[in-house]
Amino acid sequence: MPAAEAGQGRPGIDSATQAILDAALVEFERHGFQRVALDDVARRAGVSRTTIYRRFANRDELVAAVIERENVVLFADIAAELKNAVKPADYYVEAFTQSILMFRRHRVLDRMITDEPALVLEMARHHHGAAIERMAEALRVIFPDGFADQIGVAAVNDLADTILRYAAMVLLLPSAEPLNTPDELRTFARRHFLPSLPVALRAVSV
């Protein structure tokens, strides 16, 4: 899904807020998160600065709202991609691999990782719980029917947390081995990610 279309038609968002989020996404892509002026967002959205401030107290709140919206779409896309794919050899490895690949394909989120890693860490500090919920929702869609219930809520959340932590490692930190292609990511996942999974997950095959 193109980034500028990511929030179209989402329920519970009024048209002005939708326009602000769409405009902010374009401005973030063009200028980066820290260099965007709210005047430019207002101009692109066709609203006043006052309209923005009625909905977002400051730029940080607007950034958080855009990232949350894009994450909702991203995790839903990850779930759909894996649900519709040929049954993978290992759901855990494939969920990890596709999460990284699809994050990298998102122009704005990938730029945030590349250009503003400090902002990524700051956002993670405040919004990691919400990201776990999004990933856990995606896993419930990906897993075969009944599997999530079999391993339990805590195990699904543990898996979501582990995927996000290892994905952040791959996305943010330099690596001694190449981690660019799907096969390179799968190899990394089998060598490092799988052994780190909670015991309850390693004991049950998908």
Side-chain angles (χ1 to χ4, degrees), residues 23-80:
L25 186 66
V26 174
E27 292 296 324
F28 293 153
E29 181 179 358
R30 291 187 173 189
H31 305 293
F33 286 84
Q34 301 288 17
R35 293 182 291 277
V36 166
L38 290 185
D39 283 337
D40 293 334
V41 174
R43 189 177 304 111
R44 181 174 295 278
V47 301
S48 66
R49 280 175 60 96
T50 301
T51 300
I52 293 179
Y53 281 119
R54 286 197 189 107
R55 291 159 174 80
F56 307 101
N58 49 50
R59 185 174 60 181
D60 289 346
E61 279 197 11
L62 178 58
V63 168
V66 170
I67 292 173
E68 167 64 8
R69 189 186 73 167
E70 296 306 297
N71 277 337
V72 169
V73 175
L74 178 67
F75 288 128
D77 285 350
I78 291 169

Side-chain angles (χ1 to χ4, degrees), residues 141-195:
V141 174
I142 295 165
F143 286 148
D145 291 343
F147 182 77
D149 292 334
Q150 177 186 352
I151 63 175
V153 173
V156 174
N157 288 340
D158 279 348
L159 176 59
D161 184 36
T162 306
I163 289 175
L164 291 172
R165 290 181 184 278
Y166 272 80
M169 181 192 305
V170 170
L171 292 165
L172 284 167
L173 298 179
S175 174
E177 56 188 297
L179 296 173
N180 301 311
T181 69
D183 285 343
E184 289 168 350
L185 291 169
R186 292 184 186 106
T187 297
F188 174 90
R190 294 188 189 98
R191 184 182 304 157
H192 302 290
F193 168 66
L194 284 183

Side-chain angles (χ1 to χ4, degrees), residues 82 87-96 139 142-144 163 206:
L82 286 174
K87 184 181 184 299
D90 190 306
Y91 278 93
Y92 304 145
V93 169
E94 208 58 28
F96 173 82
L139 291 171
I142 295 165
F143 286 148
I163 289 175
V206 186

